Amino acid sequence: MVIIIFIAVLWYSGLFFQTFFLHRYAAHQSFKMSRFGEKLCYVLTWLTQGSNYLSAYGYGVMHRMHHAYADTEKDPHSPKYDHNLFTMMWRTKSIYQQINQQKVKIEDKFTKNVPQWEGFDRFASSWGSRLAWAVAYTAFFYFFATAWWQWILLPVAYMMAPIHGVIINWFGHIYGYVNFKVSDTSKNLFHFDWLMMGEGYHNNHHKHGGRANFGGVRWHEIDVTYLIMVLLDKMKLIRLKPVAVVKREI
C-alpha cells in the first residue's frame, strides 16, 4: 500500500507543477506571480518531478512551437509524423534538449517572457541530480515494497514525466471527443479528467491556448488544476488573467 501511495503522490505532485508552472505559466502565461513565487515553483518542480525534472524554459518554448506547428512536420511531437509513441517521445526529448541547452536558433516569438533560471536548470537537469533521485526511489522501494509486482512500478517513478507526455501528446491526438473544429487532431481524452488534472481537455486547450481553465465547456469538464488556481488567486499568491466564457461549436 505504501508503494501505491508513493506512486500516486509522485504522479499528481509532478503533474501539478507540470501543468500549473511549466504549461499554464511558462508556456502560456495565463496568470502572474511574484519573482519569489516563480523561483519557489522551480524548486518545487524539481522536488516533485525528481529524476524527470523539466526546465520551464525548455518546456515553455517547445510547447509554444507545438501550438504554432501542431500536426505539421515542425511539430515537436505529433502522432502524424512518428511511427509509434517511442519514436515520437525520443524526438521530443532531442528537441527539448536542443532548446534547453540553446543549441538551436529559436524565433523570438517562442522565447518572449518565458522564465529561465539557467543555473538551477543545469543543476536540476544534471546526471548527478537525476541519478541521485533514481537511487532515492530505488531505496524507497527496497525498504517499503512488500510484493514482487510492486517493483514493476519503479520504472514508472523513473519516467513519470515522459509518461505524462505520452498520454497527452500521443493518445490525446488519437482518442477522445472534440468540442471545437481546429486545424489539428487534438481531442479531449476524458469526459472527467481525474487522471491528468485537466490536461486531458486537449481539444479545448488547442482552441483557447491562453485560457487558464482547460475545462468548463461542458458540464462534466472539471479542470482540477484550474480550481486550485482559483484558490491560489483568492489567496493572492497568483493573479489569474480574465478570460471570456466559451461554448462548444460542435
Side-chain angles (χ1 to χ4, degrees):
M1 188 64 181
V2 173
I3 294 297
I4 301 299
I5 294 172
F6 177 68
I7 291 295
V9 169
L10 284 184
W11 181 278
Y12 285 107
S13 62
L15 176 60
F16 174 76
F17 283 98
Q18 182 268 324
T19 184
F20 170 74
F21 180 55
L22 304 182
H23 192 177
R24 307 187 201 209
Y25 180 76
H28 294 291
Q29 298 176 348
S30 59
F31 65 94
K32 294 182 179 180
M33 62 179 163
S34 68
R35 295 293 292 175
F36 173 78
E38 184 178 293
K39 298 293 187 183
L40 180 61
C41 281
Y42 269 97
V43 176
L44 291 175
T45 300
W46 175 66
L47 289 174
T48 56
Q49 292 188 338
S51 61
N52 303 273
Y53 175 81
L54 293 171
S55 156
Y57 179 80
Y59 182 99
V61 171
M62 186 174 67
H63 187 71
R64 289 183 180 185
M65 293 172 65
H66 169 60
H67 275 265
Y69 303 127
D71 285 332
T72 69
E73 292 182 352
K74 292 184 178 181
D75 190 343
H77 39 72
S78 171
K80 288 182 65 176
Y81 289 93
D82 290 288
H83 298 297
N84 55 64
L85 57 86
F86 298 104
T87 57
M88 184 193 76
M89 292 310 295
W90 185 261
R91 184 163 63 89
T92 301
K93 168 185 171 294
S94 299
I95 294 172
Y96 164 82
Q97 289 181 330
Q98 290 175 350
I99 294 170
N100 199 40
Q101 296 169 9
Q102 301 185 48
K103 293 182 177 180
V104 61
K105 177 73 173 174
I106 302 294
E107 294 180 56
D108 291 343
K109 65 181 180 180
F110 296 126
T111 62
K112 184 178 180 181
N113 296 326
V114 177
Q116 188 175 25
W117 189 0
E118 293 186 53
F120 188 82
D121 275 344
R122 282 195 297 272
F123 158 71
S125 300
S126 68
W127 278 108
S129 173
R130 296 191 191 282
L131 287 173
W133 280 111
V135 170
Y137 297 158
T138 305
F140 190 92
F141 271 70
Y142 177 79
F143 286 109
F144 293 103
T146 56
W148 67 267
W149 60 265
Q150 294 176 0
W151 285 90
I152 298 173
L153 297 174
L154 183 57
V156 176
Y158 293 156
M159 302 294 289
M160 193 75 77
I163 292 170
H164 290 157
V166 163
I167 291 173
I168 300 303
N169 298 319
W170 182 268
F171 295 104
H173 280 263
I174 298 175
Y175 304 107
Y177 67 95
V178 297
N179 286 331
F180 304 100
K181 292 181 179 179
V182 292
S183 60
D184 55 69
T185 59
S186 59
K187 295 177 175 59
N188 293 331
L189 194 53
F190 309 106
H191 287 270
F192 173 63
D193 186 15
W194 57 270
L195 183 66
M196 299 300 294
M197 299 186 71
E199 286 285 305
Y201 302 127
H202 204 47
N203 175 252
N204 294 355
H205 174 57
H206 269 246
K207 177 65 176 180
H208 301 282
R211 190 168 178 260
N213 185 1
F214 291 2
V217 179
R218 301 193 188 203
W219 69 268
H220 53 77
E221 294 175 354
I222 300 172
D223 183 349
V224 178
T225 300
Y226 178 69
L227 296 181
I228 296 172
M229 291 168 67
V230 170
L231 177 61
L232 294 175
D233 180 73
K234 291 183 181 300
M235 295 171 65
K236 301 189 183 303
L237 296 175
I238 66 171
R239 188 165 78 251
L240 285 168
K241 293 182 179 180
V243 293
V245 176
V246 298
K247 295 182 179 180
R248 69 179 188 271
E249 295 174 348
I250 56 178

